[in-house]
Amino acid sequence: MRLFLSAALLLAAAHATFAQQQSSFISTLSEQNHWVDSVFSKMNRRQKVAQLFFIRAHTNKGKAYADSVANVIKHEQPGGLVFFQGGPVRQAALSNQYQQLAHIPLLIAMDGEWGLGMRLDSTLSYPYQMTLGAIQDDKLLNQMGQQVAYDFKRLGMHLNFAPVVDINNNPNNPVINYRSFGDNKYKVALKSIAYMQGMQQGGLLTTAKHFPGHGDTNVDSHYDLPQLNFTRTRLDTLEEYPFKQVIQAGISGIMVAHMSIPALDTTKNLPSSLSRPIITTLLKDSLGFKGLVVSDAMEMKGVVKYFPEGEADLKAFIAGNDILELSENSWRAIKKIKKAIRQHLVAEAELDAKVKKVLAAKYWVGLNHYQPTDLQNISENLNREPAKELIQELSNAAITLLQDNGLIQRLNFEQKTALVSIGTATNTTFQLELAKTFANNTLFNIDKNASASDVAKVLNEVKSYGQIMVGVHDMRLRPQSKLDFSTAVKDGITQLATSPNAAISLFANPYSIATLPGIEKASALIAAYQKDDGMQRAAAKVLSRQLTPSGKLPVTVNTIFVNGSGIGQSKQAL
């Protein structure tokens, strides 16, 4: 095991050192590239257009689906793939097969905002961006970016559609929310840069999203077209601020959202992803972005609702996108774009510039010397101990003590203690970790749909305990702003908060604090952000006085708990 860990560490270090010696992707775009010129000179118009399309791929949908993707690659020769759900070994093997069908190596991407675990089974998940937003030492985010880059490249991938640079200043945002670093534009920018630079130092292309800012919407663009009815001044000074900062820091790509923004383009029902004033005039010309401009998924209702039958793809191309991902029908779209160029609706020089940029990206990640992915020891490499240790370090740094009247220092490790987990009927890591310190314990569980009588029974039993440790667990994969607990369970949490000997840890979206009136009365209240084991261990360490919390709330929840709330000394101040 020690030999394996040493090998993994050396591999990651060598990989990072090599990547750091490379020029940034943006800087290479102004240099002559003989490989790019050589490949480009052999392409006809149809092949050029096809390089701009990235198609969907899965490894959890069976052989027929995988074969259908292979057929598209064989006949259309797209520029790249976007992998979704599946397994890491299956994906690496399938990537190798798909690359064999491509005349020009495929650029392979994934939405991996919190790492491979966002999409693939049996892989590691790093904390959500809102959890990372609580961390005061941004060097940890840089380290996470380097680990994520290693994971992606280990599976033969080259592009991560991350970080999310949106400022989540709408607690009810249904699509960004916990995926954002928070609601402070300066902190969002700094953390985005730290994470992005870590990935790019590891040799991974990155994509800031969702330009010009999806954080203050109440509509999910997967299902409809959101309206962003803000002034040009507001957009310029708030929503666009983090994007300007990551552009200056050298980010390699930006993804454009599907939103109607009248202050930037008055065309009715026109998504920003199809707007030339937004993409070419604002993003490329005014903000000076030279890297890859990527559309959000072109199959989303927010874009195809008003522009069906391939019209969205054509408009996205004319607007200035370099990469069109997940077209409903790429064959149809390629034909439409070719026709538009023949009819001089868009200059062929624009097509050529886009294609050369995509080829330059392929060169930067090493596809000019493509090698198949090694299928040996993938699981061991991806689940390496240094990565697990970093996840725990990130969790420890994020844990936020919002309130404590001295209860934590008064806790007696020998006293009779109730360890209560709410939201799940099974015992939790939180309870089991606390049980190691508070030996005289009893475990209680309250399911999220428990009846009033069941809740009352537990509350009556724990009254006799001198100390009550409560974990509130949102067990959903995507934690929303409101808990999906029964009214009786929520009322039970409020009652526990009034107990003078109860400490409450919230393993849920921090916005949910606002939906639990009375929780501010808790003698000790910990924001733990998500249900993952790392956060549960971190909260247990705080309560057992093994960890001094340093996290700060990254969003304003209500008038009591505002952005920056948190008791404890930050690591940067030490």
Side-chain angles (χ1 to χ4, degrees), residues 369-429:
H369 297 298
Y370 166 73
Q371 293 292 325
T373 299
D374 181 2
L375 302 182
Q376 300 298 313
N377 301 317
I378 285 179
S379 180
E380 294 85 351
N381 293 159
L382 296 180
N383 290 279
R384 60 199 179 280
E385 283 304 315
K388 293 178 181 178
E389 290 168 4
L390 178 60
I391 290 171
Q392 189 60 59
E393 190 174 1
L394 291 162
S395 301
N396 292 349
I399 202 78
T400 305
L401 181 60
L402 290 176
Q403 195 155 283
D404 180 22
N405 64 7
L407 174 65
I408 293 178
Q409 286 301 317
R410 297 195 303 270
L411 291 174
N412 186 331
F413 299 156
E414 306 300 324
Q415 192 171 0
K416 185 180 177 184
T417 304
L419 305 179
V420 185
S421 276
I422 299 174
T424 173
T426 58
N427 294 337
T428 62
T429 297

Side-chain angles (χ1 to χ4, degrees), residues 247-261:
I247 288 171
Q248 290 182 18
I251 196 157
S252 53
I254 287 182
M255 179 182 288
V256 183
H258 305 311
M259 299 186 296
S260 174
I261 314 174

Side-chain angles (χ1 to χ4, degrees), residues 119-137:
R119 300 295 179 189
L120 302 180
D121 61 37
S122 63
T123 58
L124 299 179
S125 288
Y126 293 85
Y128 298 140
Q129 285 192 195
M130 189 166 286
T131 306
L132 300 173
I135 294 174
Q136 301 303 294
D137 183 1

Side-chain angles (χ1 to χ4, degrees), residues 274-287:
L274 311 188
S275 167
R276 191 170 178 90
I278 291 175
I279 296 175
T280 297
T281 305
L282 174 59
L283 178 58
K284 293 185 173 182
D285 296 341
S286 296
L287 301 186

